[in-house]
Amino acid sequence: MTDRTQYIAGLRQLATWLEENPSVRVSSDERFLVPLHTNTAVEEFAAQHNLTVTTDDKGNKSAQMQFGPITYYAYGYVDFAQHMAEDSERRARKWAEEQGLEIRQTEVAA
């Protein structure tokens, strides 16, 4: 069984379990987030499924389709490597601040 087949089977099992257990809470986030990493991948996905592409103020693209109240939200970035580097720095700075530390750029001697 492929990873994709196992994943789909797991989603079906989850849906069945939720139907059989109406007292349990469901996710408060109604988005099914699918990172496609690049804007090109988002554009190709949108074209294949006749979806509108949305571009945010940083130039990152997304496309979405609705399944009842659930949104399948595919997204990408202008530069995924840059996004990851910025995210890593943001997380490191947050961690340092929580520890009472400060991250500073070192000066390179000439």
Side-chain angles (χ1 to χ4, degrees):
M1 192 182 300
T2 66
D3 289 345
R4 179 180 173 82
T5 303
Q6 290 177 352
Y7 189 83
I8 292 167
L11 287 174
R12 288 189 174 119
Q13 290 170 350
L14 173 61
T16 298
W17 183 79
L18 288 171
E19 283 181 337
E20 293 171 354
N21 295 280
S23 64
V24 300
R25 293 179 51 166
V26 295
S27 175
S28 61
D29 190 346
E30 296 173 340
R31 296 175 303 159
F32 192 85
L33 301 174
V34 183
L36 299 182
H37 303 298
T38 66
N39 282 347
T40 301
V42 171
E43 290 167 348
E44 291 170 358
F45 171 79
Q48 290 172 347
H49 301 285
N50 198 29
L51 301 171
T52 301
V53 173
T54 304
T55 305
D56 69 14
D57 58 347
K58 294 181 181 180
N60 302 316
K61 296 190 176 185
S62 63
Q64 59 187 22
M65 66 176 79
Q66 290 296 127
F67 296 91
I70 299 170
T71 303
Y72 184 97
Y73 184 83
Y75 60 96
Y77 300 93
V78 172
D79 184 336
F80 184 66
Q82 179 182 350
H83 165 75
M84 293 304 296
E86 290 171 355
D87 186 58
S88 293
E89 180 180 347
R90 187 172 38 256
R91 289 173 189 252
R93 289 186 182 283
K94 181 179 178 190
W95 178 86
E97 183 180 319
E98 289 170 351
Q99 307 307 311
L101 304 170
E102 180 181 351
I103 296 176
R104 287 185 261 161
Q105 185 88 19
T106 59
E107 294 185 29
V108 179

